[in-house]
Amino acid sequence: MELPPYTYTDASGSPQGSLVELLAKVAADAGYTYTAESAPARRLFQGVVDGQYDLFIGIKTPEAFQGTTLASKSVIANIELRAWGIGGTPAFKAKEDLAGKQVIVLTGYSYGGWRTYMDDPANGVQLIEARTPEQALQLLTAGRAPLLLQYALPMARALKAQPAPDVQSTLISSLDCHFVVSLKRPDSAALVAKLDASYEKLKAAGALP
């Protein structure tokens, strides 16, 4: 999915990013070959559930993954989710603080399961969707909504390209990334175990970031 610098699609249509590179090393050590593919988040998640995709590298928290996948014990990366605002640090501690507010979000992101809360009409969250972090930042600085939910590294890149000195943030959550394997694979448990073992071996040897 498009979450640079972790995972993204380059100009030629090929999946790239630090997690893609990490997977290449771990899979080679574990003795697996694979084909990497980019897909919109919702289609990707459903594809893992249906068995169209064997493996996802990222968060294990999407609702669709519960009871349909196995996740590695190893945490292969950590992603910070932050609330961003203009001219002051957003006062924000839990998803319930979003009730009745206008919020800018990225299309297709589950935000660690929070999107379900935001989509519930009973909570009164008014969503303004953006397709890219850069577009989301533009909406925030233009005053379309007082709050933007975004992951730290993509936002840092957007701010580097479009400096906005008054933008400040509050840490909402720290999301762990895993190897997430579809239970549609008959050998799902063995695959996860081998990936875990190879990851830990390479990490201990200093061969991974």
Side-chain angles (χ1 to χ4, degrees), residues 44-131:
L44 191 155
F45 294 160
Q46 192 59 47
V48 172
V49 171
D50 295 340
Q52 176 186 356
Y53 302 118
D54 297 306
L55 173 69
F56 168 66
I57 43 176
I59 58 174
K60 64 178 182 180
T61 53
E63 186 175 354
F65 285 175
Q66 307 313 305
T68 61
T69 62
L70 282 178
S72 63
K73 294 179 181 178
S74 303
V75 176
I76 61 176
N78 184 269
I79 300 176
E80 288 187 357
L81 176 62
R82 290 182 169 268
W84 304 80
I86 300 290
T89 302
F92 189 51
K93 294 182 179 179
K95 63 179 180 293
E96 288 77 15
D97 295 332
L98 294 172
K101 290 184 171 61
Q102 287 185 311
V103 184
I104 300 166
V105 295
L106 271 288
T107 299
Y109 284 21
S110 69
Y111 293 102
W114 284 29
R115 185 62 190 258
T116 301
Y117 177 88
M118 292 187 282
D119 283 336
D120 187 341
N123 298 318
V125 183
Q126 302 174 53
L127 297 180
I128 299 174
E129 300 213 24
R131 290 182 297 175

Side-chain angles (χ1 to χ4, degrees), residues 14 23 34 46 69 79 85 88 97 101 106 110 115 138-140 142 144 150-151 168 176 189 197 207:
S14 299
L23 174 61
Y34 64 93
Q46 192 59 47
T69 62
I79 300 176
D97 295 332
K101 290 184 171 61
L106 271 288
S110 69
R115 185 62 190 258
Q138 290 171 1
L139 291 170
L140 180 67
R144 290 288 304 278
Q150 178 56 287
Y151 296 105
Q168 298 184 37
D176 292 336

Side-chain angles (χ1 to χ4, degrees), residues 21-31 179 195 198-199 202 208:
E21 294 169 3
L22 182 149
L23 174 61
K25 293 180 180 179
V26 173
D29 183 82
F179 300 116
L195 292 174
S198 288
Y199 175 84
L202 293 172
L208 299 174

Side-chain angles (χ1 to χ4, degrees), residues 2-27:
E2 304 307 305
L3 192 62
Y6 295 106
T7 52
Y8 63 94
T9 307
D10 66 16
S12 67
S14 299
Q16 302 292 343
S18 59
L19 289 184
V20 177
E21 294 169 3
L22 182 149
L23 174 61
K25 293 180 180 179
V26 173

